[in-house]
Amino acid sequence: MEAYSRCLEVHPRRCYLMKTAGIDFAGDKVFMTPDYLKMMWRRIEFLGTLLKLGYNFIFTDIDIMWLRDPFPRLSKDVDFQIACDRFNGDNNDIYNNVNGGFTFVQANPRTIDFYNYWYSSRLRYPGKHDQDVFNKIKSSWYTAKTGLKIRFLDTKYFGGFCERGRDLDNVCTMHANCCVGLENKIKDLRQVLVDWENYLSAAKTVDGQKITWRDPENCKKPWW
């Protein structure tokens, strides 16, 4: 509700609050609890609806800090682009470790078909969240049949706590991934903001060393 209220302040006619019987979106949902899984799958269903209405979209989790305009780093010739927890250096390699917190999707028959398939696949993988299921189906025969063009985004530009883009001259977004707990994420994202402000206001080097991110303090423990 806080995010919705803020959206109304900035864009009073462009905000939509998802309401679904039996699903409470009002508070923090603990990772992999039943309410968390319901929320994640409702998100996929909703995004599929946007595609059917003809809208391209960027989806971004609320724990992603935007530092630069990401569009120059996105391709207009790809149907579906997704961030990674770990990037292996190849934008086309389906074995990249994806993160669904940041996606850019273009509305067309291929993406509509894929989102329908993705949402229905939750029934074949009960107890799995959308990201796990995506990893299961991204190389399936049906995904290949749709003709979907997928691009995996380089963490150099779309980084996170799992794998940070160390070059602040290039980074577009920073995601508080590989981290559980709202307070932990908020504290370390505040540190990201301080580092970014120091980068913008100071020389790009200190004592001959290029300015980069400090290690997360609250999210430094393995997330599992």
Side-chain angles (χ1 to χ4, degrees):
M1 290 300 295
E2 291 182 16
Y4 177 64
S5 298
R6 176 57 180 160
C7 184
L8 288 175
E9 291 178 14
V10 180
H11 303 292
R13 295 182 180 85
R14 299 180 183 177
C15 301
Y16 176 80
L17 179 64
M18 286 194 298
K19 292 184 178 180
T20 304
I23 305 176
D24 176 19
F25 292 106
D28 183 25
K29 305 304 176 197
V30 177
F31 184 64
M32 294 306 293
T33 59
D35 279 349
Y36 173 89
L37 294 174
K38 288 179 184 177
M39 181 174 66
M40 293 297 101
W41 285 113
R42 178 65 181 99
R43 180 177 83 180
I44 296 300
E45 183 184 27
F46 172 70
L47 294 175
T49 300
L50 291 182
L51 295 174
K52 292 172 186 174
L53 292 173
Y55 291 105
N56 304 338
F57 64 79
I58 281 185
F59 175 83
T60 178
D61 275 351
I62 200 169
D63 62 346
I64 294 180
M65 191 168 289
W66 285 40
L67 306 169
R68 284 190 177 90
D69 178 4
F71 279 100
R73 299 294 180 185
L74 299 170
S75 173
K76 64 180 180 180
D77 301 320
V78 178
D79 301 318
F80 180 95
Q81 296 171 76
I82 186 167
C84 298
D85 283 338
R86 308 282 180 188
F87 180 69
N88 66 15
D90 184 348
N91 291 110
N92 300 309
D93 189 349
I94 60 172
Y95 294 106
N96 278 295
N97 188 1
V98 302
N99 188 296
F102 185 97
T103 54
F104 175 42
V105 187
Q106 304 204 48
N108 59 47
R110 294 180 297 277
T111 55
I112 291 170
D113 197 4
F114 177 73
Y115 265 77
N116 285 337
Y117 174 52
W118 191 0
Y119 183 68
S120 66
S121 293
R122 77 195 190 284
L123 301 176
R124 292 194 291 125
Y125 299 100
K128 300 287 187 183
H129 62 67
D130 58 309
Q131 190 169 296
D132 283 341
V133 173
F134 177 86
N135 278 320
K136 298 279 188 184
I137 67 174
K138 63 186 177 184
S139 59
S140 72
W141 68 270
Y142 192 88
T143 299
K145 179 185 173 183
T146 66
L148 186 76
K149 296 179 181 177
I150 305 176
R151 179 170 176 257
F152 301 91
L153 299 174
D154 192 337
T155 51
K156 176 180 179 180
Y157 309 110
F158 301 91
F161 294 161
C162 298
E163 189 171 273
R164 283 162 290 165
R166 290 286 185 175
D167 187 351
L168 273 64
D169 290 341
N170 287 295
V171 66
C172 296
T173 62
M174 176 64 81
H175 188 183
N177 53 6
C178 292
C179 184
V180 172
L182 186 59
E183 290 187 8
N184 291 332
K185 289 173 179 279
I186 289 173
K187 288 176 181 176
D188 281 345
L189 284 174
R190 283 176 176 158
Q191 178 174 287
V192 166
L193 185 58
V194 170
D195 291 345
W196 180 250
E197 289 175 341
N198 289 339
Y199 162 79
L200 293 177
S201 63
K204 294 185 179 180
T205 59
V206 176
D207 297 329
Q209 302 244 335
K210 198 168 186 179
I211 292 177
T212 189
W213 311 113
R214 288 172 288 171
D215 290 334
E217 294 181 358
N218 295 276
C219 294
K220 63 185 177 182
K221 295 181 180 179
W223 67 268
W224 57 87

